[in-house]
Amino acid sequence: MVADESRKRLVQLSYERIDIPAAYRFLQTPGAGGVAVFIGTARQWTGERETLSLSYESYEPMALKEMHRLIDAAEHEWPIQRTCLLHKLGEVRLAEASVLVGVATVHRAEAFTVCRFLIEQLKVQVPIWKQERLTDGLRVWVEGNHPPR
Amino acid sequence: MLSFKVQLFSVLKSKLQTDSVDLETPEGISVSEFLDLACAQYPTMEPYRRVMRLAVNQTYSEDAYILQDGDEVAIITPVSGG
């Protein structure tokens, strides 16, 4: 993984498996008193519907810009030492990580708050789409009801 | 007239079976008019008109923005990352 020049943030879309230990190493800094990490994973059951795997696609250049924009907004609002925003594209197997949001802050309260802010905003704003592969062989796009923000 | 290559993703890409469509528009057209025109020309998009946004030069655009020759355009339906 290559961080950007400032070394304060790591933003990445990749078809490779998310390297969780590398993300955590990136987040470690003496300035932080806490690190919060959220990992979104591929779920087998949604109600009575069984999913075999997920697949993600993205409008990559715009998605990366939006991911940076989210971090800009977070840094404007809260004091943040390090931020990690990683999303896997392509096939994601059950239980595998599809997204990792990590934040290192001086105090724990901001770490939880910023981590939550970033994942919630990513899910409504960043142009990434999920397709479910179901047990009947169908592949179905997850279609939301609200336009992106 | 202006001519655009409109990038498509996700459900629109699947339903139209292509990752982009061509659209010719009059000059001075707004984002809102552009999306209406796209749905009129490609009726498969119409059910998504209510929830789609246009990205111009890789940024979400306002409805009132007037498209310029050479703008990179993509239709963004509700996202579902995470």
Side-chain angles (χ1 to χ4, degrees):
Chain A
M1 286 192 197
V2 179
D4 74 2
E5 288 176 10
S6 73
R7 298 290 302 170
K8 276 194 70 183
R9 58 174 75 173
L10 183 62
V11 176
Q12 199 169 62
L13 297 170
S14 173
Y15 288 85
E16 304 296 320
R17 178 184 287 269
I18 292 177
D19 188 341
I20 297 169
Y24 180 57
R25 280 196 299 276
F26 174 79
L27 291 165
Q28 288 178 300
T29 170
V35 172
V37 176
F38 171 80
I39 298 171
T41 56
R43 183 179 60 233
Q44 184 173 16
W45 292 95
T46 302
E48 296 189 349
R49 190 175 75 243
E50 183 176 9
T51 299
L52 295 178
S53 66
L54 299 177
S55 180
Y56 290 86
E57 79 163 17
S58 173
Y59 179 17
E60 293 185 41
M62 178 173 171
L64 288 168
K65 282 185 183 179
E66 289 294 320
M67 290 158 84
H68 277 287
R69 206 188 312 272
L70 285 182
I71 298 173
D72 289 343
E75 287 180 345
H76 184 73
E77 190 78 18
W78 297 283
I80 301 171
Q81 302 289 308
R82 297 269 170 91
T83 311
C84 209
L85 205 45
L86 312 175
H87 205 298
K88 189 178 181 194
L89 301 178
E91 207 76 8
V92 176
R93 292 178 299 171
L94 292 179
E96 186 185 348
S98 55
V99 63
L100 183 149
V101 181
V103 190
T105 58
V106 177
H107 300 291
R108 70 181 179 282
E110 288 89 1
F112 284 117
T113 301
V114 176
C115 195
R116 183 74 189 256
F117 168 82
L118 289 173
I119 185 61
E120 299 299 340
Q121 292 301 308
L122 179 143
K123 288 174 77 75
V124 295
Q125 181 174 333
V126 177
I128 298 172
W129 296 271
K130 179 190 309 183
Q131 190 180 51
E132 293 178 336
R133 187 163 64 92
L134 305 176
T135 45
D136 55 10
L138 285 177
R139 288 177 178 269
V140 181
W141 287 106
V142 176
E143 295 185 33
N145 293 317
H146 302 287
R149 286 181 196 154
Chain B
M1 296 291 277
L2 301 177
S3 113
F4 296 93
K5 179 183 173 187
V6 188
Q7 297 181 78
L8 305 175
F9 300 92
S10 174
V11 66
L12 290 184
K13 185 167 90 173
S14 291
K15 289 195 182 284
L16 278 85
Q17 298 185 322
T18 178
D19 60 9
S20 69
V21 293
D22 296 321
L23 194 66
E24 294 220 325
T25 76
E27 292 193 20
I29 196 170
S30 69
V31 161
S32 181
E33 293 164 335
F34 182 96
L35 291 174
D36 288 343
L37 194 62
C39 290
Q41 186 150 340
Y42 300 95
T44 311
M45 294 184 189
E46 178 58 37
Y48 298 90
R49 174 65 186 93
R50 187 178 57 82
V51 292
M52 63 172 59
R53 289 193 67 180
L54 192 69
V56 179
N57 301 324
Q58 302 169 3
T59 303
Y60 290 116
S61 61
E62 299 302 323
D63 282 349
Y65 172 80
I66 303 297
L67 286 144
Q68 308 293 313
D69 192 23
D71 278 344
E72 176 183 326
V73 290
I75 295 180
I76 312 293
T77 52
V79 301
S80 52

